[in-house]
Structures are given as C-alpha cells and as structure tokens.
PDB file of all heavy atoms in Angstrom:
ATOM      1  N   GLY Y   1       9.329   4.100  -6.430  1.00 88.00           N
ATOM      2  CA  GLY Y   1       9.632   3.163  -5.304  1.00 88.00           C
ATOM      3  C   GLY Y   1       9.261   3.736  -4.008  1.00 88.00           C
ATOM      4  O   GLY Y   1       8.631   3.087  -3.094  1.00 88.00           O
ATOM      5  N   GLY Y   2       9.653   5.054  -3.835  1.00 88.00           N
ATOM      6  CA  GLY Y   2       9.303   5.699  -2.540  1.00 88.00           C
ATOM      7  C   GLY Y   2       7.747   5.885  -2.372  1.00 88.00           C
ATOM      8  O   GLY Y   2       7.214   5.676  -1.357  1.00 88.00           O
ATOM      9  N   PHE Y   3       7.154   6.090  -3.530  1.00 92.00           N
ATOM     10  CA  PHE Y   3       5.667   6.338  -3.570  1.00 92.00           C
ATOM     11  C   PHE Y   3       5.031   5.033  -2.971  1.00 92.00           C
ATOM     12  O   PHE Y   3       4.182   5.066  -2.105  1.00 92.00           O
ATOM     13  CB  PHE Y   3       5.118   6.699  -4.883  1.00 92.00           C
ATOM     14  CG  PHE Y   3       3.659   6.848  -5.025  1.00 92.00           C
ATOM     15  CD1 PHE Y   3       3.129   8.065  -4.730  1.00 92.00           C
ATOM     16  CD2 PHE Y   3       2.873   5.732  -5.136  1.00 92.00           C
ATOM     17  CE1 PHE Y   3       1.722   8.260  -4.781  1.00 92.00           C
ATOM     18  CE2 PHE Y   3       1.420   5.868  -5.262  1.00 92.00           C
ATOM     19  CZ  PHE Y   3       0.878   7.108  -5.041  1.00 92.00           C
ATOM     20  N   LEU Y   4       5.453   4.019  -3.759  1.00 94.00           N
ATOM     21  CA  LEU Y   4       4.797   2.571  -3.313  1.00 94.00           C
ATOM     22  C   LEU Y   4       5.198   2.141  -1.875  1.00 94.00           C
ATOM     23  O   LEU Y   4       4.288   1.771  -1.010  1.00 94.00           O
ATOM     24  CB  LEU Y   4       5.230   1.524  -4.296  1.00 94.00           C
ATOM     25  CG  LEU Y   4       4.693   1.687  -5.792  1.00 94.00           C
ATOM     26  CD1 LEU Y   4       5.274   0.670  -6.556  1.00 94.00           C
ATOM     27  CD2 LEU Y   4       3.243   1.511  -5.720  1.00 94.00           C
ATOM     28  N   ALA Y   5       6.398   2.301  -1.410  1.00 95.00           N
ATOM     29  CA  ALA Y   5       6.857   1.816  -0.221  1.00 95.00           C
ATOM     30  C   ALA Y   5       6.292   2.721   1.000  1.00 95.00           C
ATOM     31  O   ALA Y   5       5.613   2.131   1.862  1.00 95.00           O
ATOM     32  CB  ALA Y   5       8.318   1.865  -0.053  1.00 95.00           C
ATOM     33  N   MET Y   6       6.360   3.996   0.870  1.00 96.00           N
ATOM     34  CA  MET Y   6       5.851   4.857   1.939  1.00 96.00           C
ATOM     35  C   MET Y   6       4.238   5.005   1.954  1.00 96.00           C
ATOM     36  O   MET Y   6       3.730   5.125   3.034  1.00 96.00           O
ATOM     37  CB  MET Y   6       6.510   6.296   1.983  1.00 96.00           C
ATOM     38  CG  MET Y   6       8.124   6.143   2.158  1.00 96.00           C
ATOM     39  SD  MET Y   6       8.399   5.189   3.783  1.00 96.00           S
ATOM     40  CE  MET Y   6      10.077   4.515   3.304  1.00 96.00           C
ATOM     41  N   GLY Y   7       3.704   4.974   0.677  1.00 96.00           N
ATOM     42  CA  GLY Y   7       2.345   5.086   0.585  1.00 96.00           C
ATOM     43  C   GLY Y   7       1.771   3.717   1.135  1.00 96.00           C
ATOM     44  O   GLY Y   7       0.731   3.671   1.834  1.00 96.00           O
ATOM     45  N   GLY Y   8       2.347   2.631   0.838  1.00 97.00           N
ATOM     46  CA  GLY Y   8       2.103   1.375   1.417  1.00 97.00           C
ATOM     47  C   GLY Y   8       2.034   1.261   2.947  1.00 97.00           C
ATOM     48  O   GLY Y   8       1.153   0.730   3.545  1.00 97.00           O
ATOM     49  N   TRP Y   9       3.139   1.876   3.469  1.00 97.00           N
ATOM     50  CA  TRP Y   9       3.262   1.928   4.906  1.00 97.00           C
ATOM     51  C   TRP Y   9       2.123   2.740   5.572  1.00 97.00           C
ATOM     52  O   TRP Y   9       1.567   2.405   6.498  1.00 97.00           O
ATOM     53  CB  TRP Y   9       4.533   2.595   5.339  1.00 97.00           C
ATOM     54  CG  TRP Y   9       4.625   2.945   6.692  1.00 97.00           C
ATOM     55  CD1 TRP Y   9       4.389   4.232   7.321  1.00 97.00           C
ATOM     56  CD2 TRP Y   9       4.498   2.079   7.941  1.00 97.00           C
ATOM     57  NE1 TRP Y   9       4.365   4.271   8.703  1.00 97.00           N
ATOM     58  CE2 TRP Y   9       4.369   2.940   9.114  1.00 97.00           C
ATOM     59  CE3 TRP Y   9       4.533   0.749   7.939  1.00 97.00           C
ATOM     60  CZ2 TRP Y   9       4.354   2.333  10.473  1.00 97.00           C
ATOM     61  CZ3 TRP Y   9       4.586   0.139   9.251  1.00 97.00           C
ATOM     62  CH2 TRP Y   9       4.432   0.915  10.452  1.00 97.00           C
ATOM     63  N   ALA Y  10       1.844   3.920   4.797  1.00 98.00           N
ATOM     64  CA  ALA Y  10       0.716   4.753   5.430  1.00 98.00           C
ATOM     65  C   ALA Y  10      -0.664   3.911   5.430  1.00 98.00           C
ATOM     66  O   ALA Y  10      -1.466   4.019   6.323  1.00 98.00           O
ATOM     67  CB  ALA Y  10       0.571   5.941   4.545  1.00 98.00           C
ATOM     68  N   VAL Y  11      -0.924   3.145   4.306  1.00 98.00           N
ATOM     69  CA  VAL Y  11      -2.071   2.375   4.265  1.00 98.00           C
ATOM     70  C   VAL Y  11      -2.055   1.390   5.515  1.00 98.00           C
ATOM     71  O   VAL Y  11      -3.126   1.309   6.220  1.00 98.00           O
ATOM     72  CB  VAL Y  11      -2.230   1.492   2.906  1.00 98.00           C
ATOM     73  CG1 VAL Y  11      -3.441   0.558   2.972  1.00 98.00           C
ATOM     74  CG2 VAL Y  11      -2.419   2.573   1.834  1.00 98.00           C
ATOM     75  N   PHE Y  12      -1.004   0.648   5.711  1.00 98.00           N
ATOM     76  CA  PHE Y  12      -0.870  -0.273   6.836  1.00 98.00           C
ATOM     77  C   PHE Y  12      -0.940   0.485   8.122  1.00 98.00           C
ATOM     78  O   PHE Y  12      -1.739  -0.180   9.102  1.00 98.00           O
ATOM     79  CB  PHE Y  12       0.563  -0.869   6.726  1.00 98.00           C
ATOM     80  CG  PHE Y  12       0.768  -1.808   7.968  1.00 98.00           C
ATOM     81  CD1 PHE Y  12       0.218  -3.205   7.912  1.00 98.00           C
ATOM     82  CD2 PHE Y  12       1.595  -1.479   8.939  1.00 98.00           C
ATOM     83  CE1 PHE Y  12       0.414  -3.981   8.869  1.00 98.00           C
ATOM     84  CE2 PHE Y  12       1.880  -2.314   9.943  1.00 98.00           C
ATOM     85  CZ  PHE Y  12       1.190  -3.569   9.957  1.00 98.00           C
ATOM     86  N   ALA Y  13      -0.499   1.601   8.423  1.00 98.00           N
ATOM     87  CA  ALA Y  13      -0.547   2.340   9.603  1.00 98.00           C
ATOM     88  C   ALA Y  13      -1.986   2.718   9.898  1.00 98.00           C
ATOM     89  O   ALA Y  13      -2.231   2.994  11.015  1.00 98.00           O
ATOM     90  CB  ALA Y  13       0.430   3.580   9.506  1.00 98.00           C
ATOM     91  N   ASN Y  14      -2.735   2.861   8.794  1.00 98.00           N
ATOM     92  CA  ASN Y  14      -4.197   3.426   9.074  1.00 98.00           C
ATOM     93  C   ASN Y  14      -5.207   2.304   8.819  1.00 98.00           C
ATOM     94  O   ASN Y  14      -6.314   2.603   8.744  1.00 98.00           O
ATOM     95  CB  ASN Y  14      -4.446   4.624   8.186  1.00 98.00           C
ATOM     96  CG  ASN Y  14      -3.599   5.761   8.739  1.00 98.00           C
ATOM     97  OD1 ASN Y  14      -3.959   6.517   9.547  1.00 98.00           O
ATOM     98  ND2 ASN Y  14      -2.375   6.006   8.033  1.00 98.00           N
ATOM     99  N   ALA Y  15      -4.630   1.055   8.753  1.00 98.00           N
ATOM    100  CA  ALA Y  15      -5.632  -0.047   8.370  1.00 98.00           C
ATOM    101  C   ALA Y  15      -6.747  -0.388   9.335  1.00 98.00           C
ATOM    102  O   ALA Y  15      -7.733  -0.911   8.994  1.00 98.00           O
ATOM    103  CB  ALA Y  15      -4.775  -1.286   8.164  1.00 98.00           C
ATOM    104  N   ALA Y  16      -6.645   0.127  10.565  1.00 98.00           N
ATOM    105  CA  ALA Y  16      -7.711  -0.105  11.600  1.00 98.00           C
ATOM    106  C   ALA Y  16      -8.871   0.766  11.366  1.00 98.00           C
ATOM    107  O   ALA Y  16      -9.929   0.617  11.988  1.00 98.00           O
ATOM    108  CB  ALA Y  16      -7.070   0.030  12.997  1.00 98.00           C
ATOM    109  N   HIS Y  17      -8.682   1.797  10.595  1.00 98.00           N
ATOM    110  CA  HIS Y  17      -9.777   2.710  10.268  1.00 98.00           C
ATOM    111  C   HIS Y  17     -10.626   2.378   9.053  1.00 98.00           C
ATOM    112  O   HIS Y  17     -10.096   1.647   8.130  1.00 98.00           O
ATOM    113  CB  HIS Y  17      -9.217   4.163  10.175  1.00 98.00           C
ATOM    114  CG  HIS Y  17      -8.513   4.540  11.371  1.00 98.00           C
ATOM    115  ND1 HIS Y  17      -9.125   5.228  12.494  1.00 98.00           N
ATOM    116  CD2 HIS Y  17      -7.136   4.428  11.878  1.00 98.00           C
ATOM    117  CE1 HIS Y  17      -8.403   5.458  13.531  1.00 98.00           C
ATOM    118  NE2 HIS Y  17      -7.083   5.031  13.112  1.00 98.00           N
ATOM    119  N   PRO Y  18     -11.820   2.889   9.051  1.00 97.00           N
ATOM    120  CA  PRO Y  18     -12.740   2.477   7.867  1.00 97.00           C
ATOM    121  C   PRO Y  18     -12.117   3.081   6.522  1.00 97.00           C
ATOM    122  O   PRO Y  18     -11.538   4.126   6.555  1.00 97.00           O
ATOM    123  CB  PRO Y  18     -14.001   3.050   8.210  1.00 97.00           C
ATOM    124  CG  PRO Y  18     -13.802   4.135   9.233  1.00 97.00           C
ATOM    125  CD  PRO Y  18     -12.521   3.736   9.912  1.00 97.00           C
ATOM    126  N   MET Y  19     -12.418   2.388   5.527  1.00 97.00           N
ATOM    127  CA  MET Y  19     -12.071   2.989   4.205  1.00 97.00           C
ATOM    128  C   MET Y  19     -12.968   4.102   3.846  1.00 97.00           C
ATOM    129  O   MET Y  19     -14.077   4.171   4.401  1.00 97.00           O
ATOM    130  CB  MET Y  19     -12.465   1.712   3.110  1.00 97.00           C
ATOM    131  CG  MET Y  19     -11.452   0.688   3.083  1.00 97.00           C
ATOM    132  SD  MET Y  19      -9.900   1.314   2.668  1.00 97.00           S
ATOM    133  CE  MET Y  19      -8.861  -0.154   2.689  1.00 97.00           C
ATOM    134  N   PRO Y  20     -12.432   5.002   3.097  1.00 97.00           N
ATOM    135  CA  PRO Y  20     -11.265   5.073   2.337  1.00 97.00           C
ATOM    136  C   PRO Y  20     -10.088   5.668   3.054  1.00 97.00           C
ATOM    137  O   PRO Y  20      -9.046   6.007   2.523  1.00 97.00           O
ATOM    138  CB  PRO Y  20     -11.649   5.881   1.143  1.00 97.00           C
ATOM    139  CG  PRO Y  20     -12.649   6.958   1.724  1.00 97.00           C
ATOM    140  CD  PRO Y  20     -13.369   6.224   2.787  1.00 97.00           C
ATOM    141  N   GLU Y  21     -10.214   5.935   4.441  1.00 97.00           N
ATOM    142  CA  GLU Y  21      -8.994   6.639   5.123  1.00 97.00           C
ATOM    143  C   GLU Y  21      -7.659   6.045   5.036  1.00 97.00           C
ATOM    144  O   GLU Y  21      -6.781   6.753   4.702  1.00 97.00           O
ATOM    145  CB  GLU Y  21      -9.383   6.781   6.616  1.00 97.00           C
ATOM    146  CG  GLU Y  21     -10.632   7.690   6.973  1.00 97.00           C
ATOM    147  CD  GLU Y  21     -10.985   7.706   8.366  1.00 97.00           C
ATOM    148  OE1 GLU Y  21     -10.735   6.805   9.087  1.00 97.00           O
ATOM    149  OE2 GLU Y  21     -11.728   8.770   8.788  1.00 97.00           O
ATOM    150  N   PRO Y  22      -7.469   4.775   5.021  1.00 98.00           N
ATOM    151  CA  PRO Y  22      -6.254   4.173   4.719  1.00 98.00           C
ATOM    152  C   PRO Y  22      -5.690   4.484   3.297  1.00 98.00           C
ATOM    153  O   PRO Y  22      -4.509   4.809   3.201  1.00 98.00           O
ATOM    154  CB  PRO Y  22      -6.393   2.716   4.972  1.00 98.00           C
ATOM    155  CG  PRO Y  22      -7.579   2.600   5.891  1.00 98.00           C
ATOM    156  CD  PRO Y  22      -8.525   3.690   5.448  1.00 98.00           C
ATOM    157  N   VAL Y  23      -6.535   4.393   2.391  1.00 98.00           N
ATOM    158  CA  VAL Y  23      -6.134   4.579   1.002  1.00 98.00           C
ATOM    159  C   VAL Y  23      -5.745   6.037   0.809  1.00 98.00           C
ATOM    160  O   VAL Y  23      -4.738   6.369   0.185  1.00 98.00           O
ATOM    161  CB  VAL Y  23      -7.203   4.139   0.041  1.00 98.00           C
ATOM    162  CG1 VAL Y  23      -6.942   4.630  -1.352  1.00 98.00           C
ATOM    163  CG2 VAL Y  23      -7.360   2.538   0.088  1.00 98.00           C
ATOM    164  N   ILE Y  24      -6.542   6.911   1.307  1.00 97.00           N
ATOM    165  CA  ILE Y  24      -6.257   8.374   1.346  1.00 97.00           C
ATOM    166  C   ILE Y  24      -4.850   8.665   1.796  1.00 97.00           C
ATOM    167  O   ILE Y  24      -4.083   9.373   1.264  1.00 97.00           O
ATOM    168  CB  ILE Y  24      -7.416   9.309   1.875  1.00 97.00           C
ATOM    169  CG1 ILE Y  24      -8.583   9.135   0.999  1.00 97.00           C
ATOM    170  CG2 ILE Y  24      -6.972  10.680   1.966  1.00 97.00           C
ATOM    171  CD1 ILE Y  24      -9.855   9.702   1.712  1.00 97.00           C
ATOM    172  N   ALA Y  25      -4.704   8.083   3.104  1.00 98.00           N
ATOM    173  CA  ALA Y  25      -3.458   8.328   3.774  1.00 98.00           C
ATOM    174  C   ALA Y  25      -2.296   7.840   2.958  1.00 98.00           C
ATOM    175  O   ALA Y  25      -1.266   8.433   2.782  1.00 98.00           O
ATOM    176  CB  ALA Y  25      -3.403   7.640   5.085  1.00 98.00           C
ATOM    177  N   GLY Y  26      -2.464   6.690   2.234  1.00 97.00           N
ATOM    178  CA  GLY Y  26      -1.427   6.170   1.344  1.00 97.00           C
ATOM    179  C   GLY Y  26      -1.186   6.892   0.206  1.00 97.00           C
ATOM    180  O   GLY Y  26       0.043   7.129  -0.159  1.00 97.00           O
ATOM    181  N   LEU Y  27      -2.201   7.440  -0.449  1.00 97.00           N
ATOM    182  CA  LEU Y  27      -1.969   8.275  -1.606  1.00 97.00           C
ATOM    183  C   LEU Y  27      -1.313   9.639  -1.188  1.00 97.00           C
ATOM    184  O   LEU Y  27      -0.427  10.101  -1.909  1.00 97.00           O
ATOM    185  CB  LEU Y  27      -3.445   8.595  -2.287  1.00 97.00           C
ATOM    186  CG  LEU Y  27      -4.070   7.366  -3.031  1.00 97.00           C
ATOM    187  CD1 LEU Y  27      -5.419   7.756  -3.343  1.00 97.00           C
ATOM    188  CD2 LEU Y  27      -3.081   6.989  -4.161  1.00 97.00           C
ATOM    189  N   VAL Y  28      -1.734  10.241  -0.090  1.00 97.00           N
ATOM    190  CA  VAL Y  28      -1.112  11.376   0.372  1.00 97.00           C
ATOM    191  C   VAL Y  28       0.392  11.212   0.762  1.00 97.00           C
ATOM    192  O   VAL Y  28       1.256  11.997   0.239  1.00 97.00           O
ATOM    193  CB  VAL Y  28      -1.783  11.982   1.622  1.00 97.00           C
ATOM    194  CG1 VAL Y  28      -1.008  13.145   2.344  1.00 97.00           C
ATOM    195  CG2 VAL Y  28      -3.233  12.491   1.263  1.00 97.00           C
ATOM    196  N   GLN Y  29       0.728  10.105   1.495  1.00 97.00           N
ATOM    197  CA  GLN Y  29       2.029   9.889   1.861  1.00 97.00           C
ATOM    198  C   GLN Y  29       2.931   9.566   0.679  1.00 97.00           C
ATOM    199  O   GLN Y  29       4.036  10.048   0.412  1.00 97.00           O
ATOM    200  CB  GLN Y  29       2.227   8.717   2.856  1.00 97.00           C
ATOM    201  CG  GLN Y  29       3.595   8.502   3.354  1.00 97.00           C
ATOM    202  CD  GLN Y  29       4.215   9.771   3.928  1.00 97.00           C
ATOM    203  OE1 GLN Y  29       3.499  10.275   4.819  1.00 97.00           O
ATOM    204  NE2 GLN Y  29       5.416  10.024   3.505  1.00 97.00           N
ATOM    205  N   GLY Y  30       2.436   8.756  -0.286  1.00 96.00           N
ATOM    206  CA  GLY Y  30       3.065   8.340  -1.516  1.00 96.00           C
ATOM    207  C   GLY Y  30       3.416   9.603  -2.343  1.00 96.00           C
ATOM    208  O   GLY Y  30       4.525   9.864  -2.779  1.00 96.00           O
ATOM    209  N   ALA Y  31       2.406  10.438  -2.496  1.00 96.00           N
ATOM    210  CA  ALA Y  31       2.711  11.596  -3.330  1.00 96.00           C
ATOM    211  C   ALA Y  31       3.685  12.580  -2.676  1.00 96.00           C
ATOM    212  O   ALA Y  31       4.731  13.183  -3.226  1.00 96.00           O
ATOM    213  CB  ALA Y  31       1.318  12.430  -3.544  1.00 96.00           C
ATOM    214  N   MET Y  32       3.559  12.854  -1.161  1.00 95.00           N
ATOM    215  CA  MET Y  32       4.472  13.680  -0.582  1.00 95.00           C
ATOM    216  C   MET Y  32       5.946  13.030  -0.509  1.00 95.00           C
ATOM    217  O   MET Y  32       6.863  13.871  -0.633  1.00 95.00           O
ATOM    218  CB  MET Y  32       4.010  13.952   0.909  1.00 95.00           C
ATOM    219  CG  MET Y  32       2.723  14.638   0.885  1.00 95.00           C
ATOM    220  SD  MET Y  32       2.878  16.307   0.093  1.00 95.00           S
ATOM    221  CE  MET Y  32       4.118  17.093   0.950  1.00 95.00           C
ATOM    222  N   THR Y  33       5.991  11.783  -0.454  1.00 94.00           N
ATOM    223  CA  THR Y  33       7.358  11.144  -0.552  1.00 94.00           C
ATOM    224  C   THR Y  33       8.056  11.417  -1.847  1.00 94.00           C
ATOM    225  O   THR Y  33       9.174  11.825  -1.950  1.00 94.00           O
ATOM    226  CB  THR Y  33       7.333   9.543  -0.291  1.00 94.00           C
ATOM    227  OG1 THR Y  33       6.706   9.355   0.958  1.00 94.00           O
ATOM    228  CG2 THR Y  33       8.636   9.029  -0.518  1.00 94.00           C
ATOM    229  N   ALA Y  34       7.242  11.246  -2.909  1.00 91.00           N
ATOM    230  CA  ALA Y  34       7.806  11.601  -4.339  1.00 91.00           C
ATOM    231  C   ALA Y  34       8.314  13.060  -4.330  1.00 91.00           C
ATOM    232  O   ALA Y  34       9.333  13.425  -4.914  1.00 91.00           O
ATOM    233  CB  ALA Y  34       6.784  11.339  -5.350  1.00 91.00           C
ATOM    234  N   VAL Y  35       7.516  13.951  -3.848  1.00 91.00           N
ATOM    235  CA  VAL Y  35       7.797  15.433  -3.961  1.00 91.00           C
ATOM    236  C   VAL Y  35       9.014  15.756  -3.058  1.00 91.00           C
ATOM    237  O   VAL Y  35       9.896  16.476  -3.467  1.00 91.00           O
ATOM    238  CB  VAL Y  35       6.646  16.226  -3.465  1.00 91.00           C
ATOM    239  CG1 VAL Y  35       6.893  17.796  -3.264  1.00 91.00           C
ATOM    240  CG2 VAL Y  35       5.408  16.136  -4.553  1.00 91.00           C
TER     241      VAL Y  35
END
C-alpha cells in the first residue's frame, strides 16, 4: 500500500517532466517507502 500510495504521489509530483522521469521517481519512492 505504501509503495503504491507514495510511488503514485511521486509520479504525480513529477508529472510536468518528460517520461520516464515521473515513472522513475515513482518506482524509487515506492521502493524506498517499502524499505
């Protein structure tokens, strides 16, 4: 749940930037939230 919620927030927070930056930010944040 933390991975999805906080990873999703990171994608949203970086949505103004070109792909894949928002997705990478989301994966990084999701993984770090879990850890």
